[in-house]
PDB file of all heavy atoms in Angstrom:
ATOM      1  N   TYR A  34     -98.088 -67.136 -24.450  1.00  0.00           N
ATOM      2  CA  TYR A  34     -96.662 -67.643 -24.638  1.00  0.00           C
ATOM      3  C   TYR A  34     -96.477 -69.033 -24.180  1.00  0.00           C
ATOM      4  O   TYR A  34     -95.761 -69.829 -24.904  1.00  0.00           O
ATOM      5  CB  TYR A  34     -95.747 -66.680 -23.846  1.00  0.00           C
ATOM      6  CG  TYR A  34     -95.158 -65.616 -24.711  1.00  0.00           C
ATOM      7  CD1 TYR A  34     -95.941 -64.497 -25.034  1.00  0.00           C
ATOM      8  CD2 TYR A  34     -93.847 -65.730 -25.186  1.00  0.00           C
ATOM      9  CE1 TYR A  34     -95.367 -63.483 -25.849  1.00  0.00           C
ATOM     10  CE2 TYR A  34     -93.299 -64.760 -26.024  1.00  0.00           C
ATOM     11  CZ  TYR A  34     -94.139 -63.638 -26.392  1.00  0.00           C
ATOM     12  OH  TYR A  34     -93.504 -62.631 -27.198  1.00  0.00           O
ATOM     13  N   ARG A  37     -98.049 -71.520 -26.590  1.00  0.00           N
ATOM     14  CA  ARG A  37     -97.281 -71.714 -27.908  1.00  0.00           C
ATOM     15  C   ARG A  37     -96.024 -72.660 -27.553  1.00  0.00           C
ATOM     16  O   ARG A  37     -95.505 -73.220 -28.496  1.00  0.00           O
ATOM     17  CB  ARG A  37     -96.858 -70.335 -28.276  1.00  0.00           C
ATOM     18  CG  ARG A  37     -97.930 -69.642 -29.186  1.00  0.00           C
ATOM     19  CD  ARG A  37     -97.621 -68.125 -29.543  1.00  0.00           C
ATOM     20  NE  ARG A  37     -96.266 -68.170 -30.324  1.00  0.00           N
ATOM     21  CZ  ARG A  37     -96.152 -68.236 -31.515  1.00  0.00           C
ATOM     22  NH1 ARG A  37     -97.219 -68.365 -32.262  1.00  0.00           N
ATOM     23  NH2 ARG A  37     -94.943 -68.055 -32.052  1.00  0.00           N
ATOM     24  N   ARG A  38     -95.515 -72.667 -26.367  1.00  0.00           N
ATOM     25  CA  ARG A  38     -94.473 -73.648 -26.049  1.00  0.00           C
ATOM     26  C   ARG A  38     -94.925 -74.999 -25.680  1.00  0.00           C
ATOM     27  O   ARG A  38     -94.118 -75.844 -25.283  1.00  0.00           O
ATOM     28  CB  ARG A  38     -93.751 -73.055 -24.839  1.00  0.00           C
ATOM     29  CG  ARG A  38     -93.289 -71.600 -24.941  1.00  0.00           C
ATOM     30  CD  ARG A  38     -91.747 -71.450 -24.807  1.00  0.00           C
ATOM     31  NE  ARG A  38     -91.357 -70.612 -25.747  1.00  0.00           N
ATOM     32  CZ  ARG A  38     -90.308 -70.566 -26.499  1.00  0.00           C
ATOM     33  NH1 ARG A  38     -89.367 -71.556 -26.173  1.00  0.00           N
ATOM     34  NH2 ARG A  38     -89.934 -69.774 -27.387  1.00  0.00           N
ATOM     35  N   GLU A  61    -104.977 -45.516 -26.112  1.00  0.00           N
ATOM     36  CA  GLU A  61    -104.244 -44.625 -27.122  1.00  0.00           C
ATOM     37  C   GLU A  61    -102.852 -44.961 -27.154  1.00  0.00           C
ATOM     38  O   GLU A  61    -102.124 -44.663 -28.187  1.00  0.00           O
ATOM     39  CB  GLU A  61    -104.483 -43.203 -26.837  1.00  0.00           C
ATOM     40  CG  GLU A  61    -105.870 -42.741 -27.071  1.00  0.00           C
ATOM     41  CD  GLU A  61    -106.044 -41.171 -26.861  1.00  0.00           C
ATOM     42  OE1 GLU A  61    -105.116 -40.455 -26.346  1.00  0.00           O
ATOM     43  OE2 GLU A  61    -107.074 -40.607 -27.388  1.00  0.00           O
ATOM     44  N   TYR A  63    -101.200 -47.983 -26.469  1.00  0.00           N
ATOM     45  CA  TYR A  63    -100.604 -49.400 -26.707  1.00  0.00           C
ATOM     46  C   TYR A  63    -100.158 -49.440 -28.052  1.00  0.00           C
ATOM     47  O   TYR A  63    -100.880 -49.269 -28.992  1.00  0.00           O
ATOM     48  CB  TYR A  63    -101.731 -50.387 -26.404  1.00  0.00           C
ATOM     49  CG  TYR A  63    -101.213 -51.845 -26.539  1.00  0.00           C
ATOM     50  CD1 TYR A  63    -100.254 -52.386 -25.746  1.00  0.00           C
ATOM     51  CD2 TYR A  63    -101.805 -52.698 -27.475  1.00  0.00           C
ATOM     52  CE1 TYR A  63     -99.788 -53.689 -25.834  1.00  0.00           C
ATOM     53  CE2 TYR A  63    -101.284 -53.981 -27.675  1.00  0.00           C
ATOM     54  CZ  TYR A  63    -100.302 -54.411 -26.695  1.00  0.00           C
ATOM     55  OH  TYR A  63     -99.804 -55.773 -26.946  1.00  0.00           O
ATOM     56  N   PRO A  64     -98.793 -49.698 -28.239  1.00  0.00           N
ATOM     57  CA  PRO A  64     -98.231 -49.666 -29.530  1.00  0.00           C
ATOM     58  C   PRO A  64     -98.899 -50.717 -30.417  1.00  0.00           C
ATOM     59  O   PRO A  64     -99.069 -51.839 -30.202  1.00  0.00           O
ATOM     60  CB  PRO A  64     -96.700 -49.999 -29.200  1.00  0.00           C
ATOM     61  CG  PRO A  64     -96.550 -49.745 -27.802  1.00  0.00           C
ATOM     62  CD  PRO A  64     -97.892 -50.088 -27.199  1.00  0.00           C
ATOM     63  N   GLY A  65     -99.020 -50.210 -31.739  1.00  0.00           N
ATOM     64  CA  GLY A  65     -99.635 -51.056 -32.718  1.00  0.00           C
ATOM     65  C   GLY A  65    -101.032 -50.588 -33.171  1.00  0.00           C
ATOM     66  O   GLY A  65    -101.535 -51.135 -34.185  1.00  0.00           O
ATOM     67  N   GLN A  82    -106.889 -64.447 -29.197  1.00  0.00           N
ATOM     68  CA  GLN A  82    -105.431 -64.979 -29.428  1.00  0.00           C
ATOM     69  C   GLN A  82    -105.061 -66.063 -28.532  1.00  0.00           C
ATOM     70  O   GLN A  82    -104.446 -67.035 -29.013  1.00  0.00           O
ATOM     71  CB  GLN A  82    -104.398 -63.684 -29.260  1.00  0.00           C
ATOM     72  CG  GLN A  82    -103.148 -63.872 -29.914  1.00  0.00           C
ATOM     73  CD  GLN A  82    -102.455 -62.511 -30.149  1.00  0.00           C
ATOM     74  OE1 GLN A  82    -103.034 -61.469 -29.869  1.00  0.00           O
ATOM     75  NE2 GLN A  82    -101.097 -62.568 -30.459  1.00  0.00           N
ATOM     76  N   ASP A 166    -103.242 -39.729 -15.739  1.00  0.00           N
ATOM     77  CA  ASP A 166    -103.832 -40.105 -17.039  1.00  0.00           C
ATOM     78  C   ASP A 166    -105.215 -40.569 -16.989  1.00  0.00           C
ATOM     79  O   ASP A 166    -106.010 -40.255 -17.783  1.00  0.00           O
ATOM     80  CB  ASP A 166    -102.998 -41.236 -17.744  1.00  0.00           C
ATOM     81  CG  ASP A 166    -101.629 -40.623 -18.301  1.00  0.00           C
ATOM     82  OD1 ASP A 166    -101.362 -39.328 -18.175  1.00  0.00           O
ATOM     83  OD2 ASP A 166    -100.772 -41.370 -18.878  1.00  0.00           O
ATOM     84  N   ALA A 194    -100.505 -36.884 -18.961  1.00  0.00           N
ATOM     85  CA  ALA A 194     -99.937 -36.583 -20.238  1.00  0.00           C
ATOM     86  C   ALA A 194    -100.442 -35.216 -20.653  1.00  0.00           C
ATOM     87  O   ALA A 194    -101.696 -34.882 -20.644  1.00  0.00           O
ATOM     88  CB  ALA A 194    -100.345 -37.642 -21.286  1.00  0.00           C
ATOM     89  N   GLU A 195     -99.543 -34.392 -21.175  1.00  0.00           N
ATOM     90  CA  GLU A 195     -99.879 -33.047 -21.614  1.00  0.00           C
ATOM     91  C   GLU A 195    -101.012 -33.012 -22.643  1.00  0.00           C
ATOM     92  O   GLU A 195    -101.831 -32.194 -22.639  1.00  0.00           O
ATOM     93  CB  GLU A 195     -98.691 -32.342 -22.259  1.00  0.00           C
ATOM     94  CG  GLU A 195     -97.608 -31.851 -21.235  1.00  0.00           C
ATOM     95  CD  GLU A 195     -98.130 -30.674 -20.407  1.00  0.00           C
ATOM     96  OE1 GLU A 195     -99.019 -30.030 -20.740  1.00  0.00           O
ATOM     97  OE2 GLU A 195     -97.504 -30.571 -19.271  1.00  0.00           O
ATOM     98  N   ARG A 275     -85.905 -59.168 -12.523  1.00  0.00           N
ATOM     99  CA  ARG A 275     -86.128 -58.900 -13.869  1.00  0.00           C
ATOM    100  C   ARG A 275     -86.729 -60.003 -14.720  1.00  0.00           C
ATOM    101  O   ARG A 275     -87.221 -59.863 -15.914  1.00  0.00           O
ATOM    102  CB  ARG A 275     -84.718 -58.357 -14.533  1.00  0.00           C
ATOM    103  CG  ARG A 275     -84.231 -56.954 -13.878  1.00  0.00           C
ATOM    104  CD  ARG A 275     -84.297 -55.820 -14.899  1.00  0.00           C
ATOM    105  NE  ARG A 275     -83.611 -56.247 -16.144  1.00  0.00           N
ATOM    106  CZ  ARG A 275     -83.868 -55.797 -17.355  1.00  0.00           C
ATOM    107  NH1 ARG A 275     -84.911 -55.121 -17.455  1.00  0.00           N
ATOM    108  NH2 ARG A 275     -83.169 -56.272 -18.428  1.00  0.00           N
ATOM    109  N   GLN A 277     -89.117 -61.764 -13.531  1.00  0.00           N
ATOM    110  CA  GLN A 277     -90.485 -61.938 -12.951  1.00  0.00           C
ATOM    111  C   GLN A 277     -90.508 -63.045 -11.937  1.00  0.00           C
ATOM    112  O   GLN A 277     -91.671 -63.386 -11.617  1.00  0.00           O
ATOM    113  CB  GLN A 277     -91.607 -62.041 -13.985  1.00  0.00           C
ATOM    114  CG  GLN A 277     -91.513 -61.098 -15.241  1.00  0.00           C
ATOM    115  CD  GLN A 277     -91.697 -59.676 -14.801  1.00  0.00           C
ATOM    116  OE1 GLN A 277     -90.925 -58.789 -15.198  1.00  0.00           O
ATOM    117  NE2 GLN A 277     -92.663 -59.444 -13.842  1.00  0.00           N
ATOM    118  N   ARG A 293     -95.349 -51.897 -11.130  1.00  0.00           N
ATOM    119  CA  ARG A 293     -94.485 -51.321 -12.161  1.00  0.00           C
ATOM    120  C   ARG A 293     -95.188 -50.852 -13.415  1.00  0.00           C
ATOM    121  O   ARG A 293     -95.821 -51.771 -14.092  1.00  0.00           O
ATOM    122  CB  ARG A 293     -93.369 -52.245 -12.433  1.00  0.00           C
ATOM    123  CG  ARG A 293     -92.464 -51.842 -13.501  1.00  0.00           C
ATOM    124  CD  ARG A 293     -91.337 -52.892 -13.741  1.00  0.00           C
ATOM    125  NE  ARG A 293     -90.471 -52.647 -14.876  1.00  0.00           N
ATOM    126  CZ  ARG A 293     -90.683 -53.077 -16.115  1.00  0.00           C
ATOM    127  NH1 ARG A 293     -91.810 -53.769 -16.355  1.00  0.00           N
ATOM    128  NH2 ARG A 293     -89.882 -52.842 -17.201  1.00  0.00           N
ATOM    129  N   GLN A 296     -99.318 -49.974 -17.052  1.00  0.00           N
ATOM    130  CA  GLN A 296     -99.779 -49.803 -18.435  1.00  0.00           C
ATOM    131  C   GLN A 296    -100.058 -51.050 -19.156  1.00  0.00           C
ATOM    132  O   GLN A 296     -99.535 -52.051 -18.716  1.00  0.00           O
ATOM    133  CB  GLN A 296     -98.545 -49.053 -19.267  1.00  0.00           C
ATOM    134  CG  GLN A 296     -98.090 -47.791 -18.568  1.00  0.00           C
ATOM    135  CD  GLN A 296     -99.052 -46.753 -18.572  1.00  0.00           C
ATOM    136  OE1 GLN A 296     -99.721 -46.447 -19.638  1.00  0.00           O
ATOM    137  NE2 GLN A 296     -99.355 -46.093 -17.555  1.00  0.00           N
TER     138      GLN A 296
ATOM    139  N   TYR B  45     -94.772 -42.571 -25.516  1.00  0.00           N
ATOM    140  CA  TYR B  45     -95.050 -42.168 -24.155  1.00  0.00           C
ATOM    141  C   TYR B  45     -94.445 -40.722 -23.774  1.00  0.00           C
ATOM    142  O   TYR B  45     -95.295 -39.977 -23.202  1.00  0.00           O
ATOM    143  CB  TYR B  45     -94.534 -43.290 -23.210  1.00  0.00           C
ATOM    144  CG  TYR B  45     -95.508 -44.201 -22.839  1.00  0.00           C
ATOM    145  CD1 TYR B  45     -95.831 -45.417 -23.811  1.00  0.00           C
ATOM    146  CD2 TYR B  45     -96.217 -44.236 -21.735  1.00  0.00           C
ATOM    147  CE1 TYR B  45     -96.753 -46.330 -23.450  1.00  0.00           C
ATOM    148  CE2 TYR B  45     -97.247 -45.108 -21.345  1.00  0.00           C
ATOM    149  CZ  TYR B  45     -97.453 -46.150 -22.190  1.00  0.00           C
ATOM    150  OH  TYR B  45     -98.333 -47.152 -22.006  1.00  0.00           O
ATOM    151  N   ARG B  48     -96.502 -37.932 -25.523  1.00  0.00           N
ATOM    152  CA  ARG B  48     -97.758 -37.778 -24.884  1.00  0.00           C
ATOM    153  C   ARG B  48     -97.753 -36.998 -23.656  1.00  0.00           C
ATOM    154  O   ARG B  48     -98.789 -36.404 -23.151  1.00  0.00           O
ATOM    155  CB  ARG B  48     -98.577 -39.165 -24.610  1.00  0.00           C
ATOM    156  CG  ARG B  48     -99.165 -39.698 -26.035  1.00  0.00           C
ATOM    157  CD  ARG B  48     -99.677 -41.029 -25.724  1.00  0.00           C
ATOM    158  NE  ARG B  48    -100.587 -41.302 -24.642  1.00  0.00           N
ATOM    159  CZ  ARG B  48    -101.923 -41.048 -24.748  1.00  0.00           C
ATOM    160  NH1 ARG B  48    -102.468 -40.746 -25.874  1.00  0.00           N
ATOM    161  NH2 ARG B  48    -102.666 -41.219 -23.642  1.00  0.00           N
ATOM    162  N   ARG B  49     -96.538 -37.087 -23.048  1.00  0.00           N
ATOM    163  CA  ARG B  49     -96.349 -36.339 -21.747  1.00  0.00           C
ATOM    164  C   ARG B  49     -95.888 -34.913 -21.970  1.00  0.00           C
ATOM    165  O   ARG B  49     -95.613 -34.088 -21.165  1.00  0.00           O
ATOM    166  CB  ARG B  49     -95.310 -37.002 -20.915  1.00  0.00           C
ATOM    167  CG  ARG B  49     -95.579 -38.362 -20.561  1.00  0.00           C
ATOM    168  CD  ARG B  49     -95.646 -38.769 -19.087  1.00  0.00           C
ATOM    169  NE  ARG B  49     -96.884 -39.570 -18.867  1.00  0.00           N
ATOM    170  CZ  ARG B  49     -97.711 -39.502 -17.959  1.00  0.00           C
ATOM    171  NH1 ARG B  49     -97.469 -38.608 -16.967  1.00  0.00           N
ATOM    172  NH2 ARG B  49     -98.697 -40.278 -17.813  1.00  0.00           N
ATOM    173  N   GLU B  72     -96.707 -63.447 -34.447  1.00  0.00           N
ATOM    174  CA  GLU B  72     -97.868 -64.229 -34.025  1.00  0.00           C
ATOM    175  C   GLU B  72     -98.101 -64.090 -32.553  1.00  0.00           C
ATOM    176  O   GLU B  72     -99.207 -64.370 -31.986  1.00  0.00           O
ATOM    177  CB  GLU B  72     -97.689 -65.737 -34.252  1.00  0.00           C
ATOM    178  CG  GLU B  72     -97.705 -66.038 -35.739  1.00  0.00           C
ATOM    179  CD  GLU B  72     -97.653 -67.624 -35.956  1.00  0.00           C
ATOM    180  OE1 GLU B  72     -97.252 -68.369 -35.041  1.00  0.00           O
ATOM    181  OE2 GLU B  72     -98.040 -67.999 -37.015  1.00  0.00           O
ATOM    182  N   TYR B  74     -97.551 -61.178 -30.601  1.00  0.00           N
ATOM    183  CA  TYR B  74     -97.592 -59.718 -29.916  1.00  0.00           C
ATOM    184  C   TYR B  74     -99.148 -59.698 -29.591  1.00  0.00           C
ATOM    185  O   TYR B  74     -99.977 -59.602 -30.412  1.00  0.00           O
ATOM    186  CB  TYR B  74     -97.167 -58.702 -30.927  1.00  0.00           C
ATOM    187  CG  TYR B  74     -97.332 -57.270 -30.290  1.00  0.00           C
ATOM    188  CD1 TYR B  74     -96.594 -56.981 -29.236  1.00  0.00           C
ATOM    189  CD2 TYR B  74     -98.171 -56.332 -30.886  1.00  0.00           C
ATOM    190  CE1 TYR B  74     -96.722 -55.630 -28.569  1.00  0.00           C
ATOM    191  CE2 TYR B  74     -98.278 -55.090 -30.326  1.00  0.00           C
ATOM    192  CZ  TYR B  74     -97.570 -54.796 -29.221  1.00  0.00           C
ATOM    193  OH  TYR B  74     -97.724 -53.609 -28.680  1.00  0.00           O
ATOM    194  N   PRO B  75     -99.531 -59.441 -28.265  1.00  0.00           N
ATOM    195  CA  PRO B  75    -100.867 -59.496 -27.938  1.00  0.00           C
ATOM    196  C   PRO B  75    -101.687 -58.321 -28.621  1.00  0.00           C
ATOM    197  O   PRO B  75    -101.265 -57.201 -28.644  1.00  0.00           O
ATOM    198  CB  PRO B  75    -100.753 -59.211 -26.422  1.00  0.00           C
ATOM    199  CG  PRO B  75     -99.433 -59.637 -26.040  1.00  0.00           C
ATOM    200  CD  PRO B  75     -98.524 -59.430 -27.187  1.00  0.00           C
ATOM    201  N   GLY B  76    -102.875 -58.648 -29.194  1.00  0.00           N
ATOM    202  CA  GLY B  76    -103.741 -57.734 -29.762  1.00  0.00           C
ATOM    203  C   GLY B  76    -104.001 -58.083 -31.246  1.00  0.00           C
ATOM    204  O   GLY B  76    -104.788 -57.441 -31.815  1.00  0.00           O
ATOM    205  N   GLN B  93     -98.243 -44.156 -35.151  1.00  0.00           N
ATOM    206  CA  GLN B  93     -98.634 -43.866 -33.774  1.00  0.00           C
ATOM    207  C   GLN B  93     -97.666 -42.777 -33.142  1.00  0.00           C
ATOM    208  O   GLN B  93     -98.139 -41.808 -32.542  1.00  0.00           O
ATOM    209  CB  GLN B  93     -98.590 -45.088 -32.946  1.00  0.00           C
ATOM    210  CG  GLN B  93     -99.614 -44.979 -31.705  1.00  0.00           C
ATOM    211  CD  GLN B  93     -99.848 -46.419 -31.135  1.00  0.00           C
ATOM    212  OE1 GLN B  93     -99.671 -47.480 -31.735  1.00  0.00           O
ATOM    213  NE2 GLN B  93    -100.384 -46.417 -29.971  1.00  0.00           N
ATOM    214  N   ASP B 177     -87.209 -70.003 -31.731  1.00  0.00           N
ATOM    215  CA  ASP B 177     -88.368 -69.608 -32.318  1.00  0.00           C
ATOM    216  C   ASP B 177     -87.996 -68.947 -33.648  1.00  0.00           C
ATOM    217  O   ASP B 177     -88.681 -69.184 -34.662  1.00  0.00           O
ATOM    218  CB  ASP B 177     -89.133 -68.539 -31.542  1.00  0.00           C
ATOM    219  CG  ASP B 177     -89.963 -69.153 -30.381  1.00  0.00           C
ATOM    220  OD1 ASP B 177     -89.899 -70.414 -30.222  1.00  0.00           O
ATOM    221  OD2 ASP B 177     -90.544 -68.471 -29.654  1.00  0.00           O
ATOM    222  N   ALA B 205     -90.948 -72.901 -29.742  1.00  0.00           N
ATOM    223  CA  ALA B 205     -92.381 -73.157 -29.439  1.00  0.00           C
ATOM    224  C   ALA B 205     -92.793 -74.456 -30.089  1.00  0.00           C
ATOM    225  O   ALA B 205     -92.571 -74.748 -31.287  1.00  0.00           O
ATOM    226  CB  ALA B 205     -93.311 -71.987 -29.766  1.00  0.00           C
ATOM    227  N   ARG B 286     -85.418 -52.290 -12.380  1.00  0.00           N
ATOM    228  CA  ARG B 286     -86.804 -52.524 -12.834  1.00  0.00           C
ATOM    229  C   ARG B 286     -87.483 -51.316 -13.369  1.00  0.00           C
ATOM    230  O   ARG B 286     -88.434 -51.246 -14.074  1.00  0.00           O
ATOM    231  CB  ARG B 286     -87.641 -53.094 -11.758  1.00  0.00           C
ATOM    232  CG  ARG B 286     -87.234 -54.417 -11.251  1.00  0.00           C
ATOM    233  CD  ARG B 286     -88.273 -55.517 -11.435  1.00  0.00           C
ATOM    234  NE  ARG B 286     -89.546 -55.046 -10.879  1.00  0.00           N
ATOM    235  CZ  ARG B 286     -90.745 -55.428 -11.475  1.00  0.00           C
ATOM    236  NH1 ARG B 286     -90.813 -56.010 -12.553  1.00  0.00           N
ATOM    237  NH2 ARG B 286     -91.883 -55.030 -10.841  1.00  0.00           N
ATOM    238  N   GLN B 288     -85.772 -49.444 -15.539  1.00  0.00           N
ATOM    239  CA  GLN B 288     -84.939 -49.264 -16.856  1.00  0.00           C
ATOM    240  C   GLN B 288     -83.882 -48.127 -16.553  1.00  0.00           C
ATOM    241  O   GLN B 288     -83.399 -47.633 -17.639  1.00  0.00           O
ATOM    242  CB  GLN B 288     -85.892 -48.879 -17.980  1.00  0.00           C
ATOM    243  CG  GLN B 288     -87.062 -49.858 -18.235  1.00  0.00           C
ATOM    244  CD  GLN B 288     -86.771 -51.241 -18.462  1.00  0.00           C
ATOM    245  OE1 GLN B 288     -87.286 -52.180 -17.851  1.00  0.00           O
ATOM    246  NE2 GLN B 288     -85.691 -51.524 -19.252  1.00  0.00           N
ATOM    247  N   ARG B 304     -83.176 -58.945 -22.173  1.00  0.00           N
ATOM    248  CA  ARG B 304     -84.185 -59.498 -21.460  1.00  0.00           C
ATOM    249  C   ARG B 304     -85.388 -59.733 -22.435  1.00  0.00           C
ATOM    250  O   ARG B 304     -85.953 -58.894 -22.991  1.00  0.00           O
ATOM    251  CB  ARG B 304     -84.664 -58.615 -20.336  1.00  0.00           C
ATOM    252  CG  ARG B 304     -86.005 -59.036 -19.626  1.00  0.00           C
ATOM    253  CD  ARG B 304     -86.184 -58.013 -18.459  1.00  0.00           C
ATOM    254  NE  ARG B 304     -87.423 -58.240 -17.790  1.00  0.00           N
ATOM    255  CZ  ARG B 304     -88.582 -57.762 -18.186  1.00  0.00           C
ATOM    256  NH1 ARG B 304     -88.717 -56.920 -19.197  1.00  0.00           N
ATOM    257  NH2 ARG B 304     -89.757 -57.839 -17.472  1.00  0.00           N
ATOM    258  N   GLN B 307     -88.426 -60.066 -27.049  1.00  0.00           N
ATOM    259  CA  GLN B 307     -89.727 -60.192 -27.786  1.00  0.00           C
ATOM    260  C   GLN B 307     -90.281 -58.912 -28.069  1.00  0.00           C
ATOM    261  O   GLN B 307     -89.807 -57.935 -27.344  1.00  0.00           O
ATOM    262  CB  GLN B 307     -90.631 -60.935 -26.759  1.00  0.00           C
ATOM    263  CG  GLN B 307     -90.247 -62.213 -26.289  1.00  0.00           C
ATOM    264  CD  GLN B 307     -90.213 -63.262 -27.464  1.00  0.00           C
ATOM    265  OE1 GLN B 307     -91.116 -63.376 -28.145  1.00  0.00           O
ATOM    266  NE2 GLN B 307     -89.097 -63.971 -27.564  1.00  0.00           N
ATOM    267  N   LYS B 327     -89.567 -33.849 -15.756  1.00  0.00           N
ATOM    268  CA  LYS B 327     -90.569 -32.828 -15.430  1.00  0.00           C
ATOM    269  C   LYS B 327     -90.507 -32.238 -14.061  1.00  0.00           C
ATOM    270  O   LYS B 327     -90.064 -32.972 -13.047  1.00  0.00           O
ATOM    271  CB  LYS B 327     -91.977 -33.597 -15.636  1.00  0.00           C
ATOM    272  CG  LYS B 327     -92.127 -33.851 -16.993  1.00  0.00           C
ATOM    273  CD  LYS B 327     -93.729 -33.830 -17.325  1.00  0.00           C
ATOM    274  CE  LYS B 327     -94.160 -32.610 -17.826  1.00  0.00           C
ATOM    275  NZ  LYS B 327     -95.546 -32.579 -18.219  1.00  0.00           N
TER     276      LYS B 327
END
Side-chain angles (χ1 to χ4, degrees):
Chain A
Y34 266 81
R37 280 172 55 88
R38 307 239 136 216
E61 290 182 343
Y63 182 60
Q82 201 163 346
D166 283 359
E195 285 296 334
R275 292 243 312 144
Q277 307 301 134
R293 173 177 173 271
Q296 304 292 313
Chain B
Y45 266 81
R48 280 171 55 88
R49 306 237 136 218
E72 291 183 342
Y74 182 60
Q93 202 162 345
D177 283 358
R286 294 240 313 142
Q288 308 302 132
R304 173 177 173 272
Q307 305 291 312
K327 290 208 99 174

